[in-house]
Structures are given as C-alpha cells and as structure tokens.
Amino acid sequence: TGLKEKDVNLDIAKRLANRLRAQGVEVVMTRTTDKFIPLGSRVHIANDARAEFFISIHANASKSRNVSGFEIYYVSPTVNDSTRASYAARNYNLNLNSSCFSGSSLNLKAILWDSIFNYNRAESAYLAGDICRFAGNNLNTRIIGIKEARFEVLRGTRMPAILIEVGFLSNYKEEQLLREGFYREKLSESIMEGIECYVKNVKSKEYLKK
C-alpha cells in the first residue's frame, strides 16, 4: 500500500547500529540518509573499512501476495572462488599481521585468497543460521531460512557477508508489521542476538584451539 523499502531498511539498520554501538562495536554504515548508494560502492565501503563482517538489510517482494517470511542469503558456491582469488591477489593487499607474505608470489597470494573466500563463505552461513534462529524465537512470522545467491554485495566483499530479507512488502499483513516501530525494533533485536551468538561461538572455537 505504498510503504517504501528504502525507509524500512534504513530504520532497521539504524536501530541495529545503535544496539551494536551500545556494546562497543564500531559500525560503518553504507548510508545514513535517503541517498542511493550503488552496489559496487557498498562493497568498496565494507572492504575499505576492513570490516569483520558485512550485513545488508532489505525488504522483499513477490508477484504472489500470499508469500511472506524472513530469509537470509550468503554467497553461492557457484561463485568461482579461484577467479575471485586471482583478481584479489593482483589488486588487494592481504592485510595479514605477518610480514612473511609481503613478497609472496602471485600464485601463493591467490591460494591464500582462495582459502579466505572459502572460510568467509562458511562463516557467512553460520552467521545467517544464528540470526534466523533468533528471528524464529522473537518474531511472529514465517522463517524461510538461509539461501545461496550470487548478489554483487555478497560476491564482492572480502569478509563474511549476508543479505537479510526482513519480510515481504507485497504481503499486506507483513507490510503492516513493517510499518510498526515495535516490529522493526524486534527485527533489530533478533539480528543483534544472532550476531552475539555467532561471536560467542567464534570465541569458543578459538578457545578450543588453544
């Protein structure tokens, strides 16, 4: 009935950013006002910031007005990591703490980038799963789950990256929910709790390795 996706997305993103900042997390927003940022620019913002992970918030639509639900995408395995790794090796710094890779051959750098992209894909799936679980606990909506996609913002970022579809604006009931501030707050809370769970799991894995 006229609710604009850009307004829903920005409001939820700002609420999530406030929650993260309250926990001492540094947040870089791709936009803070009603301004369109091209997909490629969003990727560059995340990469230039050397972000820990990238979260893109969207609202969905379908030709069928009966379709509703919450879902999250991560980069598809059909995206060729070897091609991405070769490009990254030629154009980007590895930004590793150790200086022993600074003079490495192009082939070695490509192998390292390939490992990084494989790792990021797996971590993106874990992060998506944790957020979906908390969304299922907190929201009175259908949880579609996690899916794979070749979206530019997912295949271009050099860190774990997910794209969240918070609901379908083409579904009347879900559109009405997304109009409400309390529901947007619940969405930001669910995403935040999923992130916190993911981070705790990462720290647990790091502890077990010691």
Side-chain angles (χ1 to χ4, degrees), residues 1 101 111 174 199:
T1 60
F101 296 108
I111 291 169
E174 208 152 51
V199 170

Side-chain angles (χ1 to χ4, degrees), residues 71 112 115 155 159 183 196:
E71 60 186 343
L112 291 169
S115 297
R155 67 176 189 265
M159 71 285 299
Y183 190 71
E196 288 178 326

Side-chain angles (χ1 to χ4, degrees), residues 91-162:
N91 294 280
Y92 306 130
N93 292 323
L94 281 162
N95 297 324
L96 298 176
N97 292 330
S98 175
S99 60
C100 64
F101 296 108
S102 59
S104 300
S105 69
L106 197 61
N107 285 340
L108 178 56
K109 289 180 180 178
I111 291 169
L112 291 169
W113 273 113
D114 187 63
S115 297
I116 290 169
F117 287 135
N118 274 301
Y119 171 83
N120 287 346
R121 191 196 312 277
E123 293 303 307
S124 299
Y126 292 139
L127 175 60
D130 286 335
I131 293 174
C132 271
R133 184 153 50 84
F134 281 93
N137 293 339
N138 298 337
L139 304 174
N140 184 24
T141 192
R142 174 186 174 221
I143 304 300
I144 299 172
I146 62 175
K147 296 182 177 181
E148 303 160 352
R150 295 175 60 88
F151 299 141
E152 183 173 350
V153 293
L154 299 180
R155 67 176 189 265
T157 44
R158 302 197 299 275
M159 71 285 299
I162 58 172

Side-chain angles (χ1 to χ4, degrees), residues 139-194:
L139 304 174
N140 184 24
T141 192
R142 174 186 174 221
I143 304 300
I144 299 172
I146 62 175
K147 296 182 177 181
E148 303 160 352
R150 295 175 60 88
F151 299 141
E152 183 173 350
V153 293
L154 299 180
R155 67 176 189 265
T157 44
R158 302 197 299 275
M159 71 285 299
I162 58 172
L163 187 148
I164 302 173
E165 296 281 7
V166 296
F168 284 75
L169 292 174
S170 50
N171 179 279
Y172 179 78
K173 184 178 179 180
E174 208 152 51
E175 183 201 29
Q176 298 311 304
L177 282 173
L178 290 169
R179 285 187 181 277
E180 301 296 332
F182 84 90
Y183 190 71
R184 296 179 186 182
E185 193 65 35
K186 276 289 185 184
L187 281 162
S188 70
E189 178 185 2
S190 300
I191 297 169
M192 177 71 181
E193 289 179 350

Side-chain angles (χ1 to χ4, degrees), residues 2-3 12 44 72 78 95 115 164 198:
L3 182 62
I12 295 170
H44 287 303
I72 304 181
T78 61
N95 297 324
S115 297
I164 302 173
Y198 167 80

